[in-house]
């Protein structure tokens, strides 16, 4: 049998003192990922309403859409595509912004 580690009682305590502590549950509401994974061109094109992959890559190459070229392949962040798409929709909805 293994004896309980003295460190086990101090997990979650900032000052290292032993005692009971209440820890917050690890939920998606309390925790935001530190690194948003990149998605490929095919998935990004689907998110943008099934546009053609080559069209999306051309937009990214001309900096019309936020994207990252790594090793000859294009990658995107879903959150940036969402923001870009929302800004395009908002521009077309406001008569004072359209020409």
């Amino acid at each position: 049998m293994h004896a309980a580690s003295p460190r086990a009682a101090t997990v979650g305590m900032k000052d290292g003192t032993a005692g009971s502590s209440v820890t917050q549950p690890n939920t998606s509401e309390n925790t935001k990922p530190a690194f948003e994974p990149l998605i490929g061109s095919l998935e990004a094109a689907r998110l943008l309403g099934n546009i053609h992959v080559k069209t999306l890559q051309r937009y990214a190459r001309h900096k019309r859409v936020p994207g990252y070229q790594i090793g000859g392949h294009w990658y995107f962040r879903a959150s940036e595509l969402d923001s870009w798409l929302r800004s395009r929709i908002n521009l077309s909805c406001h008569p004072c912004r359209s020409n």
Side-chain angles (χ1 to χ4, degrees), residues 40-77:
S41 296
L42 184 60
E43 188 177 352
R46 285 182 184 147
L47 284 175
L48 293 176
N50 287 323
I51 67 171
H52 197 278
V53 172
K54 293 294 184 182
T55 301
L56 173 63
Q57 292 171 348
R58 185 176 66 246
Y59 285 176
R61 193 169 41 255
H62 294 285
K63 305 213 184 299
R64 291 179 62 190
V65 163
Y68 307 93
Q69 190 173 23
I70 303 170
H73 299 280
W74 282 97
Y75 298 95
F76 304 87
R77 286 198 173 106

Side-chain angles (χ1 to χ4, degrees), residues 4-19:
S5 167
R7 181 161 161 62
T10 62
V11 173
M13 302 296 290
K14 290 182 180 180
D15 61 358
T17 59

